[in-house]
Amino acid sequence: MAGLGGGDVERLIQLLARLPGLGPRSARRAALSLLRQPEGKLMPLAQAMEAAAKSVRTCSSCGTLDSTDPCSICADGARDHGVVCVVESVGDLWALERAMIHRGVYQVLGGTLSALGGVGPDDLNTAGLFGRIEAGGVREVILALGATVEGATTSHWLQERLAGLGVVVTRVGHGVPMGGALDVLDDGTLAAALTARRPA
Ligand SMILES: [Zn+2]
């Protein structure tokens, strides 16, 4: 696009416009804000992005993203490793962490079962969960998956897989939209959903 200050600026805008929640218009505003304060905004962001690109990895135990493996949650001895909360996405984990309502650990499935979407059991990240149960010490598995058809299907499938393994399986309160949507909920609603869990 002409008049946008040359190739580098245009490329920055194009890359920003690919981010969720940003269209071309917001991307132009963001780029302008960054470029106006190269020392205060642009360079720190560039450095944080480079650092994240180099260091962030997937936790081999729970599947979340962190700069260490195992992640800081799995490595935290103060958390209750006997209670595992199963979520669809890292975004859901972040929402629960922000609300500070779950003091156990997590399992991030990375999706939900979907016949239409071609997602089968082998595509879900469950190895860490069953590994931890096999190793002993897991008392409760909380299913915090969506109220969607896929979420319900996945919960049901997990429930069957977990039956007979000696763990209590619970589900979060009904009617709460989840599955990648937890982070739009306020902390009070999230807390209520987790507190209102019931036997699956
Ligand atoms: Zn982890």
Side-chain angles (χ1 to χ4, degrees):
M1 203 186 298
L4 283 179
D8 287 342
V9 175
E10 196 177 329
R11 178 157 170 75
L12 176 62
I13 293 170
Q14 281 172 354
L15 288 170
L16 286 170
R18 284 197 214 157
L19 299 175
L22 290 189
R25 186 186 156 87
S26 314
R28 284 194 294 273
R29 286 179 56 201
L32 199 55
S33 166
L34 291 167
L35 292 165
R36 273 185 179 143
Q37 288 178 264
E39 298 298 323
K41 284 187 181 169
L42 187 58
M43 284 310 292
L45 181 67
Q47 284 157 4
M49 283 181 157
E50 192 183 358
K54 281 181 181 158
S55 73
V56 174
R57 61 205 74 194
T58 300
C59 174
S60 55
S61 179
C62 74
T64 195
L65 297 171
D66 206 333
S67 49
T68 56
D69 181 14
C71 70
S72 55
I73 294 173
C74 286
D76 187 348
R79 299 188 73 116
D80 187 349
H81 290 249
V83 182
V84 183
C85 183
V86 179
V87 292
E88 177 183 338
S89 69
V90 175
D92 286 347
L93 182 156
W94 286 349
L96 288 164
E97 282 301 287
R98 271 204 311 279
M100 293 189 293
I101 46 180
H102 176 57
R103 298 311 299 158
V105 293
Y106 295 91
Q107 182 70 31
V108 181
L109 297 182
T112 44
L113 294 178
S114 167
L116 281 176
V119 182
D122 291 345
D123 300 313
L124 300 182
N125 174 40
T126 55
L129 175 65
F130 291 109
R132 280 184 276 178
I133 291 171
E134 238 170 69
V138 176
R139 307 186 308 278
E140 179 181 356
V141 175
I142 304 170
L143 302 176
L145 301 170
T148 58
V149 173
E150 289 83 8
T153 305
T154 309
S155 289
H156 187 73
W157 172 77
L158 267 175
Q159 227 173 293
E160 286 188 338
R161 291 280 319 269
L162 292 164
L165 296 182
V167 296
V168 174
V169 183
T170 55
R171 293 169 85 153
V172 294
H174 212 57
V176 176
M178 284 198 267
L182 274 183
D183 58 354
V184 301
L185 296 177
D186 64 89
D187 296 354
T189 307
L190 267 179
L194 204 70
T195 308
R197 65 185 191 267
R198 55 192 166 69

